[in-house]
């Protein structure tokens, strides 16, 4: 049911933020996204939204001044990712100034920005503080937290930074809905993916043994396999679904219970194996989307690699919904 609260979604991607906010009662009146495949995906499950499919620098937000309650968005995170070069404002993909421009022109009651935790790391803290100061100058009280999606019911470990501003008061972040102690009380990956059934189009990328395995106490940690994709312990939330998935950075399901057996083999002094891991199958796009808490009805458009990227870049709708509910309650008279 609509609450009458109006929002604009910038860098909307596949629509995870919009989906969660709509569930919380927000009306999404405008979305901005430049990737053509993401636009097709977004419109597939948000058919009534005015979608501007182009560069945000070309969008004039002045017509929305005073008409919008909340501006949300996840500016491209590569400039601040610990897995990238970390160039911040020197990276041409840095779009946080455009996010700030939209807020300045729209003059909403509140905003919500999502990004990688690297934005508040020491190497980028000066940049983050400068951005925060510019938003405070627009009349917002700010608060930020790094949230783990698994604390809010996602069957996936996913840590992301959320910066929220509300005029005249600080946003109070919601408490975790699922136990914060490691794994206990969390939603396991097995609730949406299983070893017995493949959901969606199979991924042909194979899994091979690492020549120089790096052992850790848990069979599911360390680097016993080539590539960035990790085996999934189905009794726990999965590792973070990556935007670079599709090939050997796609997490995988151990259908023949090779992972714990091979770990024991190495711990007891066995020699590393070579070749293909038997029974290992990569997550499909559809299974990755379920781990991100997208409903099965959402169809991702484009090539296989594009679809994996869309899924990996998205905000889990379940997290967006929880934050939306908190915003809704705190914006109420």
């Amino acid at each position: 049911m609509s609450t009458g609260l109006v929002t604009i979604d910038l860098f909307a991607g596949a629509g995870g933020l919009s989906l969660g906010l709509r569930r919380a009662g927000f009306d999404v009146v405008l979305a901005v996204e430049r990737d053509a495949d993401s636009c097709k995906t977004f419109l597939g499950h948000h058919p009534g939204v005015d979608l501007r499919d182009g560069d945000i620098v070309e969008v004039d937000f002045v017509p929305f001044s005073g008409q919008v309650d909340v501006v949300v968005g996840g500016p491209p995170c590569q400039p601040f990712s610990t897995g990238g070069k970390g160039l911040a404002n020197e990276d041409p993909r840095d779009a946080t100034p455009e996010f700030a421009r939209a807020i300045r022109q729209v003059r909403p009651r509140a905003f919500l920005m999502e990004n990688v935790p690297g934005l508040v790391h020491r190497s980028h803290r000066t940049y983050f503080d400068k951005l925060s100061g510019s938003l405070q100058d627009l009349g917002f009280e700010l608060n930020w937290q790094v949230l783990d999606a698994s604390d809010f019911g996602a069957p996936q470990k996913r840590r992301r930074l959320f910066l929220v501003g509300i005029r005249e008061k600080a946003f109070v972040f919601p408490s975790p809905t699922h136990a914060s102690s490691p794994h206990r009380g969390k939603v396991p990956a097995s609730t949406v993916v299983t070893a017995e059934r493949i959901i969606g189009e199979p991924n042909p990328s194979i899994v091979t043994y690492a020549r120089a395995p790096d052992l850790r106490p848990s069979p599911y940690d360390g680097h016993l396999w080539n590539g960035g994709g990790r085996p999934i312990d189905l009794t726990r939330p999965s590792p973070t679904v990556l935007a670079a998935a599709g090939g050997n950075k796609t997490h995988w399901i151990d259908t023949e219970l090779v992972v714990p057996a091979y770990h024991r083999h190495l711990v007891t002094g066995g020699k590393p194996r070579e070749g293909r891991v038997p029974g290992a199958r990569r997550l499909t796009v559809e299974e990755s989307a379920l781990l991100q808490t997208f409903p099965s009805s959402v169809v991702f458009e484009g090539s296989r690699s594009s679809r994996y990227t869309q899924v990996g870049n998205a905000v889990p709708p379940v997290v967006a919904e929880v934050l939306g509910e908190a915003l809704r309650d705190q914006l109420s008279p």
Side-chain angles (χ1 to χ4, degrees):
M1 178 180 293
S2 174
T3 61
L5 292 171
V6 175
T7 189
I8 287 176
D9 188 353
L10 309 178
F11 317 100
L17 260 177
S18 284
L19 180 57
L21 289 172
R22 291 179 72 176
R23 287 175 176 171
F26 286 77
D27 294 324
V28 182
V29 298
L30 176 71
V32 181
E33 173 56 48
R34 65 183 300 177
D35 176 70
D37 291 338
S38 297
C39 288
K40 293 176 183 177
T41 300
F42 185 98
L43 287 176
H45 62 112
H46 298 294
V49 176
D50 177 9
L51 175 64
R52 307 293 175 87
D53 55 347
D55 198 321
I56 191 173
V57 300
E58 300 173 357
V59 180
D60 180 12
F61 296 99
V62 171
F64 295 92
S65 178
Q67 307 299 314
V68 174
D69 296 288
V70 182
V71 171
V72 303
C77 62
Q78 296 94 335
F80 312 101
S81 173
T82 55
K85 296 181 180 180
L87 299 177
N89 61 313
E90 296 180 6
D91 193 308
R93 295 168 296 182
D94 176 25
T96 53
E98 287 300 310
F99 185 82
R101 175 181 69 86
I103 294 171
R104 186 167 58 251
Q105 291 183 343
V106 173
R107 297 188 299 112
R109 297 170 60 192
F111 71 85
L112 181 152
M113 189 183 83
E114 178 263 356
N115 217 288
V116 292
L119 184 55
V120 293
H121 287 176
R122 181 168 53 187
S123 58
H124 298 314
R125 194 52 189 261
T126 299
Y127 181 91
F128 178 75
D129 289 343
K130 182 178 179 180
L131 171 65
S132 299
S134 68
L135 295 170
Q136 285 178 314
D137 290 343
L138 297 177
F140 295 96
E141 294 289 334
L142 305 185
N143 196 8
W144 64 267
Q145 276 193 22
V146 174
L147 304 180
D148 188 329
S150 68
D151 287 338
F152 297 92
Q156 173 199 183
K157 294 177 287 185
R158 187 180 190 88
R159 298 177 71 251
R160 287 295 184 270
L161 167 72
F162 291 90
L163 172 65
V164 183
I166 300 180
R167 296 190 186 277
E168 300 179 355
K169 64 178 180 180
F171 177 70
V172 178
F173 276 87
S175 299
T177 55
H178 292 67
S180 58
S181 59
H183 312 304
R184 300 184 63 182
K186 303 291 183 74
V187 177
S190 62
T191 58
V192 293
V193 297
T194 67
E196 296 78 22
R197 176 179 173 232
I198 299 176
I199 301 173
E201 179 185 357
N203 183 323
S205 179
I206 66 172
V207 180
T208 57
Y209 292 102
R211 291 185 177 180
D214 175 20
L215 273 174
R216 302 291 171 85
S218 169
Y220 297 92
D221 295 329
H223 293 277
L224 310 186
W225 335 92
N226 288 319
R230 296 296 184 93
I232 298 175
D233 179 351
L234 293 175
T235 68
R236 299 177 176 182
S238 80
T240 303
V241 173
L242 303 175
N248 66 12
K249 290 187 178 181
T250 314
H251 302 316
W252 51 279
I253 295 176
D254 175 21
T255 68
E256 296 185 12
L257 300 181
V258 170
V259 171
Y262 183 53
H263 184 266
R264 287 194 299 271
H265 167 78
L266 293 174
V267 168
T268 56
K271 294 182 179 181
R273 295 171 182 164
E274 296 181 357
R276 186 169 182 169
V277 179
R281 71 164 185 86
R282 303 284 185 180
L283 286 174
T284 68
V285 170
E286 292 80 2
E287 290 168 332
S288 302
L290 292 173
L291 291 170
Q292 279 278 58
T293 71
F294 277 94
S296 58
S297 58
V298 174
V299 177
F300 290 82
E301 303 286 353
S303 67
R304 180 186 287 119
S305 62
S306 173
R307 286 179 279 140
Y308 275 109
T309 298
Q310 292 173 57
V311 172
N313 278 332
V315 174
V318 68
V319 177
E321 183 177 3
V322 170
L323 290 172
E325 290 172 345
L327 266 172
R328 176 196 66 202
D329 295 343
Q330 293 175 48
L331 290 175
S332 298

